[in-house]
Amino acid sequence: LTGINVFENRGTEALAISIVQGLQRTGAHVTVITRDMAGARASLGALNPGIVEDNAWAPKLTAPESVKRRFRQKRWFRQKILRQLHPYEAALAKADLVVVSGGDIFSSDYSIMERYLRQLDQPLAAGVPVMFFAQSIGPFATEAERQAFAATARRATSTVRETISEVYLTQTLGIDPARVTLTADPAFLLEVPEDLCAAMLAEYGLTAGTYAAAAVSRSISGFTDLTHEYHLAAWVEGARWLMEAAGHLVLVPHVQMPEAHQNDLSLAHEIHAALGQDPRCTVMDHRMHGSVEFKAVLSRAVFVTAERTHGAIGAMSSGVPTLSIGYSIKAEGVLRQLIRDEALVAKSLVPAPDFSADPVARLAAAWAVRKEFANALPSTLPGVKARAAENFAIAARLARSGAAARGPKPS
């Protein structure tokens, strides 16, 4: 399992936990390749997968061809002549299947796509199956990005978590539809024990069904060219409205990376401070909570507003009406798997700039249809969870074919 960047992003953690659990249920031994070794041990230790450090590097797609050529030559010389493999390369060499997670790392929103693509050169060259696992793909801003991803995807199997990516892969990038399957995000299957729900509510003095929750994003302003100050002011206004409407508001900091612009907890504290430490607002800041603990609180809310995709998934997979605030295809794509009524979609999905321009109107519109939203979920949620489970059936088939094709593994 690769594509896992940092576990301080609890959306990434939710994916990792769900995928490792699902693959292990198929009988697979799972090795996780990640840069965040400490985070992997803390988040996945109870599942006991193999954990290998990812020190892959690749020149950017925009680098001169001479730089890319030197990279390929040095890598070939190190691997073939010196017989020196990085630990992650040795793990890839023993795999029957390489699963690539990460949610939406293969888009122009991030700068890490190149190294994950180049990491796949080795298994593909050896005939090892590669599976892009429940991804949101694209859109790509440059032809170089489109060509680089398509060249790999044509040799891999892709499952995507929404129709927008399915159409983009098959129609825009020209990937063979036989290599692309519409499934769903595996975090829809993330389990929360009842005793953990009770413990989390007790820890924060909450009662199920008596509060709203908001998964706020510190970095969304950077993705949408909003200033932090403008985004913060919108959330302060929105938080006041939610406290009045629901009686209590819980701020859920889904990403707590050390960089200030990626730390949702800092935004939550700024909102709380601007509200004058209003006792009707609670910040989940007792410690660095995991994705399952966050989902425990989201699952018992009466209404959730989410700028974080896996905050929205944690709520919707639990039957909670949700306003999704988006900056990319994933918010719309995930929501449309669950809500088919266009009028309901229009009130339950808002681009981040539109939310920041008038948060109260957007919140009020979504709040007004929360019962219709909750009533729509029982008819669609089972199908979405079944499609999420289909990812693992596909992975099991690919792993069996990879094991049969490769024969005995290298010692």
Side-chain angles (χ1 to χ4, degrees), residues 307-336:
E307 291 180 315
R308 290 293 182 184
T309 300
H310 284 94
I313 289 174
M316 294 188 296
S317 64
S318 307
V320 179
T322 302
L323 172 62
S324 295
I325 301 171
Y327 66 90
S328 70
I329 62 172
K330 56 187 176 180
E332 178 181 358
V334 170
L335 178 65
R336 284 187 179 278

PDB file of all heavy atoms in Angstrom, residues 307-336:
ATOM      1  N   GLU A 307     -15.690  21.117   5.310  1.00  0.00           N
ATOM      2  CA  GLU A 307     -14.749  21.509   4.263  1.00  0.00           C
ATOM      3  C   GLU A 307     -13.768  20.374   3.982  1.00  0.00           C
ATOM      4  O   GLU A 307     -13.068  20.415   2.979  1.00  0.00           O
ATOM      5  CB  GLU A 307     -13.987  22.771   4.684  1.00  0.00           C
ATOM      6  CG  GLU A 307     -14.857  24.006   4.733  1.00  0.00           C
ATOM      7  CD  GLU A 307     -14.092  25.251   5.141  1.00  0.00           C
ATOM      8  OE1 GLU A 307     -13.303  25.181   6.105  1.00  0.00           O
ATOM      9  OE2 GLU A 307     -14.289  26.304   4.511  1.00  0.00           O
ATOM     10  N   ARG A 308     -13.715  19.406   4.855  1.00  0.00           N
ATOM     11  CA  ARG A 308     -12.856  18.237   4.686  1.00  0.00           C
ATOM     12  C   ARG A 308     -13.689  17.080   4.142  1.00  0.00           C
ATOM     13  O   ARG A 308     -14.730  16.731   4.709  1.00  0.00           O
ATOM     14  CB  ARG A 308     -12.209  17.837   6.013  1.00  0.00           C
ATOM     15  CG  ARG A 308     -11.153  18.815   6.512  1.00  0.00           C
ATOM     16  CD  ARG A 308      -9.948  18.837   5.612  1.00  0.00           C
ATOM     17  NE  ARG A 308      -8.901  19.744   6.112  1.00  0.00           N
ATOM     18  CZ  ARG A 308      -7.774  20.001   5.451  1.00  0.00           C
ATOM     19  NH1 ARG A 308      -7.557  19.444   4.262  1.00  0.00           N
ATOM     20  NH2 ARG A 308      -6.881  20.822   5.954  1.00  0.00           N
ATOM     21  N   THR A 309     -13.229  16.465   3.056  1.00  0.00           N
ATOM     22  CA  THR A 309     -13.984  15.397   2.405  1.00  0.00           C
ATOM     23  C   THR A 309     -14.300  14.265   3.370  1.00  0.00           C
ATOM     24  O   THR A 309     -15.426  13.755   3.407  1.00  0.00           O
ATOM     25  CB  THR A 309     -13.212  14.849   1.200  1.00  0.00           C
ATOM     26  OG1 THR A 309     -13.000  15.903   0.262  1.00  0.00           O
ATOM     27  CG2 THR A 309     -13.964  13.718   0.533  1.00  0.00           C
ATOM     28  N   HIS A 310     -13.322  13.859   4.168  1.00  0.00           N
ATOM     29  CA  HIS A 310     -13.568  12.722   5.058  1.00  0.00           C
ATOM     30  C   HIS A 310     -14.331  13.124   6.308  1.00  0.00           C
ATOM     31  O   HIS A 310     -14.862  12.253   7.003  1.00  0.00           O
ATOM     32  CB  HIS A 310     -12.262  11.992   5.361  1.00  0.00           C
ATOM     33  CG  HIS A 310     -11.826  11.150   4.205  1.00  0.00           C
ATOM     34  ND1 HIS A 310     -10.941  11.618   3.256  1.00  0.00           N
ATOM     35  CD2 HIS A 310     -12.195   9.905   3.806  1.00  0.00           C
ATOM     36  CE1 HIS A 310     -10.779  10.694   2.327  1.00  0.00           C
ATOM     37  NE2 HIS A 310     -11.520   9.650   2.637  1.00  0.00           N
ATOM     38  N   GLY A 311     -14.427  14.403   6.582  1.00  0.00           N
ATOM     39  CA  GLY A 311     -15.394  14.851   7.572  1.00  0.00           C
ATOM     40  C   GLY A 311     -16.804  14.641   7.052  1.00  0.00           C
ATOM     41  O   GLY A 311     -17.683  14.143   7.760  1.00  0.00           O
ATOM     42  N   ALA A 312     -17.023  15.007   5.783  1.00  0.00           N
ATOM     43  CA  ALA A 312     -18.326  14.798   5.157  1.00  0.00           C
ATOM     44  C   ALA A 312     -18.658  13.308   5.071  1.00  0.00           C
ATOM     45  O   ALA A 312     -19.782  12.890   5.359  1.00  0.00           O
ATOM     46  CB  ALA A 312     -18.357  15.428   3.771  1.00  0.00           C
ATOM     47  N   ILE A 313     -17.676  12.496   4.670  1.00  0.00           N
ATOM     48  CA  ILE A 313     -17.915  11.048   4.562  1.00  0.00           C
ATOM     49  C   ILE A 313     -18.213  10.443   5.937  1.00  0.00           C
ATOM     50  O   ILE A 313     -19.103   9.599   6.073  1.00  0.00           O
ATOM     51  CB  ILE A 313     -16.708  10.358   3.903  1.00  0.00           C
ATOM     52  CG1 ILE A 313     -16.653  10.720   2.414  1.00  0.00           C
ATOM     53  CG2 ILE A 313     -16.778   8.839   4.079  1.00  0.00           C
ATOM     54  CD1 ILE A 313     -15.422  10.215   1.700  1.00  0.00           C
ATOM     55  N   GLY A 314     -17.476  10.881   6.959  1.00  0.00           N
ATOM     56  CA  GLY A 314     -17.731  10.371   8.307  1.00  0.00           C
ATOM     57  C   GLY A 314     -19.152  10.651   8.751  1.00  0.00           C
ATOM     58  O   GLY A 314     -19.789   9.811   9.400  1.00  0.00           O
ATOM     59  N   ALA A 315     -19.685  11.822   8.388  1.00  0.00           N
ATOM     60  CA  ALA A 315     -21.054  12.167   8.759  1.00  0.00           C
ATOM     61  C   ALA A 315     -22.064  11.431   7.893  1.00  0.00           C
ATOM     62  O   ALA A 315     -22.983  10.772   8.408  1.00  0.00           O
ATOM     63  CB  ALA A 315     -21.245  13.678   8.630  1.00  0.00           C
ATOM     64  N   MET A 316     -21.913  11.527   6.584  1.00  0.00           N
ATOM     65  CA  MET A 316     -22.918  10.953   5.677  1.00  0.00           C
ATOM     66  C   MET A 316     -22.984   9.436   5.788  1.00  0.00           C
ATOM     67  O   MET A 316     -24.055   8.845   5.667  1.00  0.00           O
ATOM     68  CB  MET A 316     -22.638  11.400   4.246  1.00  0.00           C
ATOM     69  CG  MET A 316     -22.819  12.894   4.033  1.00  0.00           C
ATOM     70  SD  MET A 316     -22.724  13.436   2.300  1.00  0.00           S
ATOM     71  CE  MET A 316     -21.021  13.036   1.890  1.00  0.00           C
ATOM     72  N   SER A 317     -21.830   8.786   6.002  1.00  0.00           N
ATOM     73  CA  SER A 317     -21.838   7.332   6.148  1.00  0.00           C
ATOM     74  C   SER A 317     -22.554   6.908   7.421  1.00  0.00           C
ATOM     75  O   SER A 317     -22.914   5.731   7.577  1.00  0.00           O
ATOM     76  CB  SER A 317     -20.399   6.790   6.158  1.00  0.00           C
ATOM     77  OG  SER A 317     -19.674   7.272   7.282  1.00  0.00           O
ATOM     78  N   SER A 318     -22.783   7.846   8.333  1.00  0.00           N
ATOM     79  CA  SER A 318     -23.504   7.580   9.577  1.00  0.00           C
ATOM     80  C   SER A 318     -24.946   8.071   9.508  1.00  0.00           C
ATOM     81  O   SER A 318     -25.650   8.035  10.522  1.00  0.00           O
ATOM     82  CB  SER A 318     -22.786   8.261  10.750  1.00  0.00           C
ATOM     83  OG  SER A 318     -21.421   7.897  10.799  1.00  0.00           O
ATOM     84  N   GLY A 319     -25.364   8.550   8.332  1.00  0.00           N
ATOM     85  CA  GLY A 319     -26.746   8.995   8.160  1.00  0.00           C
ATOM     86  C   GLY A 319     -27.010  10.419   8.586  1.00  0.00           C
ATOM     87  O   GLY A 319     -28.177  10.808   8.748  1.00  0.00           O
ATOM     88  N   VAL A 320     -25.969  11.233   8.759  1.00  0.00           N
ATOM     89  CA  VAL A 320     -26.129  12.599   9.250  1.00  0.00           C
ATOM     90  C   VAL A 320     -26.214  13.573   8.074  1.00  0.00           C
ATOM     91  O   VAL A 320     -25.356  13.541   7.186  1.00  0.00           O
ATOM     92  CB  VAL A 320     -24.948  12.984  10.168  1.00  0.00           C
ATOM     93  CG1 VAL A 320     -25.097  14.419  10.664  1.00  0.00           C
ATOM     94  CG2 VAL A 320     -24.857  12.021  11.350  1.00  0.00           C
ATOM     95  N   PRO A 321     -27.224  14.468   8.037  1.00  0.00           N
ATOM     96  CA  PRO A 321     -27.301  15.468   6.966  1.00  0.00           C
ATOM     97  C   PRO A 321     -26.084  16.389   6.995  1.00  0.00           C
ATOM     98  O   PRO A 321     -25.643  16.813   8.064  1.00  0.00           O
ATOM     99  CB  PRO A 321     -28.593  16.230   7.270  1.00  0.00           C
ATOM    100  CG  PRO A 321     -28.894  15.942   8.703  1.00  0.00           C
ATOM    101  CD  PRO A 321     -28.325  14.592   8.993  1.00  0.00           C
ATOM    102  N   THR A 322     -25.574  16.691   5.805  1.00  0.00           N
ATOM    103  CA  THR A 322     -24.269  17.353   5.705  1.00  0.00           C
ATOM    104  C   THR A 322     -24.275  18.414   4.619  1.00  0.00           C
ATOM    105  O   THR A 322     -24.783  18.185   3.511  1.00  0.00           O
ATOM    106  CB  THR A 322     -23.175  16.320   5.388  1.00  0.00           C
ATOM    107  OG1 THR A 322     -23.165  15.322   6.414  1.00  0.00           O
ATOM    108  CG2 THR A 322     -21.805  16.970   5.300  1.00  0.00           C
ATOM    109  N   LEU A 323     -23.690  19.557   4.919  1.00  0.00           N
ATOM    110  CA  LEU A 323     -23.385  20.566   3.910  1.00  0.00           C
ATOM    111  C   LEU A 323     -21.920  20.409   3.539  1.00  0.00           C
ATOM    112  O   LEU A 323     -21.041  20.588   4.383  1.00  0.00           O
ATOM    113  CB  LEU A 323     -23.633  21.986   4.443  1.00  0.00           C
ATOM    114  CG  LEU A 323     -23.159  23.132   3.532  1.00  0.00           C
ATOM    115  CD1 LEU A 323     -23.890  23.113   2.194  1.00  0.00           C
ATOM    116  CD2 LEU A 323     -23.327  24.486   4.227  1.00  0.00           C
ATOM    117  N   SER A 324     -21.640  20.041   2.294  1.00  0.00           N
ATOM    118  CA  SER A 324     -20.264  19.869   1.818  1.00  0.00           C
ATOM    119  C   SER A 324     -19.784  21.164   1.182  1.00  0.00           C
ATOM    120  O   SER A 324     -20.437  21.709   0.282  1.00  0.00           O
ATOM    121  CB  SER A 324     -20.195  18.736   0.788  1.00  0.00           C
ATOM    122  OG  SER A 324     -20.519  17.496   1.381  1.00  0.00           O
ATOM    123  N   ILE A 325     -18.651  21.653   1.657  1.00  0.00           N
ATOM    124  CA  ILE A 325     -18.030  22.856   1.109  1.00  0.00           C
ATOM    125  C   ILE A 325     -16.811  22.407   0.319  1.00  0.00           C
ATOM    126  O   ILE A 325     -15.889  21.809   0.881  1.00  0.00           O
ATOM    127  CB  ILE A 325     -17.626  23.833   2.231  1.00  0.00           C
ATOM    128  CG1 ILE A 325     -18.864  24.225   3.049  1.00  0.00           C
ATOM    129  CG2 ILE A 325     -16.949  25.066   1.662  1.00  0.00           C
ATOM    130  CD1 ILE A 325     -18.536  25.016   4.296  1.00  0.00           C
ATOM    131  N   GLY A 326     -16.798  22.647  -0.967  1.00  0.00           N
ATOM    132  CA  GLY A 326     -15.781  22.032  -1.820  1.00  0.00           C
ATOM    133  C   GLY A 326     -14.870  23.012  -2.527  1.00  0.00           C
ATOM    134  O   GLY A 326     -15.210  24.182  -2.735  1.00  0.00           O
ATOM    135  N   TYR A 327     -13.713  22.497  -2.912  1.00  0.00           N
ATOM    136  CA  TYR A 327     -12.779  23.246  -3.750  1.00  0.00           C
ATOM    137  C   TYR A 327     -12.327  22.410  -4.949  1.00  0.00           C
ATOM    138  O   TYR A 327     -11.591  22.892  -5.803  1.00  0.00           O
ATOM    139  CB  TYR A 327     -11.551  23.687  -2.941  1.00  0.00           C
ATOM    140  CG  TYR A 327     -10.669  22.553  -2.463  1.00  0.00           C
ATOM    141  CD1 TYR A 327      -9.613  22.095  -3.240  1.00  0.00           C
ATOM    142  CD2 TYR A 327     -10.898  21.940  -1.242  1.00  0.00           C
ATOM    143  CE1 TYR A 327      -8.810  21.044  -2.807  1.00  0.00           C
ATOM    144  CE2 TYR A 327     -10.099  20.895  -0.810  1.00  0.00           C
ATOM    145  CZ  TYR A 327      -9.064  20.454  -1.590  1.00  0.00           C
ATOM    146  OH  TYR A 327      -8.277  19.417  -1.170  1.00  0.00           O
ATOM    147  N   SER A 328     -12.747  21.134  -5.021  1.00  0.00           N
ATOM    148  CA  SER A 328     -12.329  20.264  -6.118  1.00  0.00           C
ATOM    149  C   SER A 328     -13.476  19.325  -6.464  1.00  0.00           C
ATOM    150  O   SER A 328     -14.566  19.408  -5.882  1.00  0.00           O
ATOM    151  CB  SER A 328     -11.085  19.459  -5.724  1.00  0.00           C
ATOM    152  OG  SER A 328     -11.426  18.485  -4.739  1.00  0.00           O
ATOM    153  N   ILE A 329     -13.229  18.410  -7.398  1.00  0.00           N
ATOM    154  CA  ILE A 329     -14.278  17.522  -7.872  1.00  0.00           C
ATOM    155  C   ILE A 329     -14.763  16.557  -6.795  1.00  0.00           C
ATOM    156  O   ILE A 329     -15.880  16.041  -6.871  1.00  0.00           O
ATOM    157  CB  ILE A 329     -13.803  16.709  -9.092  1.00  0.00           C
ATOM    158  CG1 ILE A 329     -12.607  15.808  -8.708  1.00  0.00           C
ATOM    159  CG2 ILE A 329     -13.461  17.622 -10.245  1.00  0.00           C
ATOM    160  CD1 ILE A 329     -12.217  14.836  -9.805  1.00  0.00           C
ATOM    161  N   LYS A 330     -13.939  16.315  -5.774  1.00  0.00           N
ATOM    162  CA  LYS A 330     -14.264  15.221  -4.865  1.00  0.00           C
ATOM    163  C   LYS A 330     -15.511  15.504  -4.033  1.00  0.00           C
ATOM    164  O   LYS A 330     -16.304  14.584  -3.787  1.00  0.00           O
ATOM    165  CB  LYS A 330     -13.075  14.898  -3.968  1.00  0.00           C
ATOM    166  CG  LYS A 330     -12.525  16.067  -3.158  1.00  0.00           C
ATOM    167  CD  LYS A 330     -11.251  15.682  -2.436  1.00  0.00           C
ATOM    168  CE  LYS A 330     -10.655  16.876  -1.701  1.00  0.00           C
ATOM    169  NZ  LYS A 330      -9.414  16.531  -0.994  1.00  0.00           N
ATOM    170  N   ALA A 331     -15.717  16.744  -3.585  1.00  0.00           N
ATOM    171  CA  ALA A 331     -16.889  17.038  -2.763  1.00  0.00           C
ATOM    172  C   ALA A 331     -18.173  16.764  -3.540  1.00  0.00           C
ATOM    173  O   ALA A 331     -19.091  16.101  -3.053  1.00  0.00           O
ATOM    174  CB  ALA A 331     -16.852  18.484  -2.282  1.00  0.00           C
ATOM    175  N   GLU A 332     -18.241  17.275  -4.768  1.00  0.00           N
ATOM    176  CA  GLU A 332     -19.427  17.049  -5.589  1.00  0.00           C
ATOM    177  C   GLU A 332     -19.584  15.575  -5.938  1.00  0.00           C
ATOM    178  O   GLU A 332     -20.685  15.010  -5.868  1.00  0.00           O
ATOM    179  CB  GLU A 332     -19.355  17.874  -6.870  1.00  0.00           C
ATOM    180  CG  GLU A 332     -20.534  17.645  -7.799  1.00  0.00           C
ATOM    181  CD  GLU A 332     -20.464  18.448  -9.079  1.00  0.00           C
ATOM    182  OE1 GLU A 332     -19.503  19.229  -9.243  1.00  0.00           O
ATOM    183  OE2 GLU A 332     -21.374  18.291  -9.918  1.00  0.00           O
ATOM    184  N   GLY A 333     -18.483  14.949  -6.328  1.00  0.00           N
ATOM    185  CA  GLY A 333     -18.557  13.561  -6.750  1.00  0.00           C
ATOM    186  C   GLY A 333     -19.041  12.632  -5.666  1.00  0.00           C
ATOM    187  O   GLY A 333     -19.887  11.759  -5.906  1.00  0.00           O
ATOM    188  N   VAL A 334     -18.513  12.798  -4.454  1.00  0.00           N
ATOM    189  CA  VAL A 334     -18.916  11.937  -3.339  1.00  0.00           C
ATOM    190  C   VAL A 334     -20.375  12.190  -2.978  1.00  0.00           C
ATOM    191  O   VAL A 334     -21.159  11.256  -2.761  1.00  0.00           O
ATOM    192  CB  VAL A 334     -17.992  12.156  -2.130  1.00  0.00           C
ATOM    193  CG1 VAL A 334     -18.541  11.463  -0.893  1.00  0.00           C
ATOM    194  CG2 VAL A 334     -16.583  11.647  -2.434  1.00  0.00           C
ATOM    195  N   LEU A 335     -20.776  13.468  -2.919  1.00  0.00           N
ATOM    196  CA  LEU A 335     -22.150  13.783  -2.542  1.00  0.00           C
ATOM    197  C   LEU A 335     -23.154  13.215  -3.542  1.00  0.00           C
ATOM    198  O   LEU A 335     -24.202  12.677  -3.161  1.00  0.00           O
ATOM    199  CB  LEU A 335     -22.320  15.299  -2.441  1.00  0.00           C
ATOM    200  CG  LEU A 335     -23.734  15.779  -2.093  1.00  0.00           C
ATOM    201  CD1 LEU A 335     -24.134  15.319  -0.694  1.00  0.00           C
ATOM    202  CD2 LEU A 335     -23.843  17.291  -2.211  1.00  0.00           C
ATOM    203  N   ARG A 336     -22.837  13.308  -4.814  1.00  0.00           N
ATOM    204  CA  ARG A 336     -23.785  12.853  -5.838  1.00  0.00           C
ATOM    205  C   ARG A 336     -23.971  11.338  -5.835  1.00  0.00           C
ATOM    206  O   ARG A 336     -24.947  10.844  -6.405  1.00  0.00           O
ATOM    207  CB  ARG A 336     -23.330  13.327  -7.220  1.00  0.00           C
ATOM    208  CG  ARG A 336     -23.596  14.804  -7.465  1.00  0.00           C
ATOM    209  CD  ARG A 336     -23.280  15.202  -8.896  1.00  0.00           C
ATOM    210  NE  ARG A 336     -23.548  16.605  -9.121  1.00  0.00           N
ATOM    211  CZ  ARG A 336     -24.751  17.114  -9.391  1.00  0.00           C
ATOM    212  NH1 ARG A 336     -25.786  16.295  -9.471  1.00  0.00           N
ATOM    213  NH2 ARG A 336     -24.914  18.403  -9.592  1.00  0.00           N
TER     214      ARG A 336
END
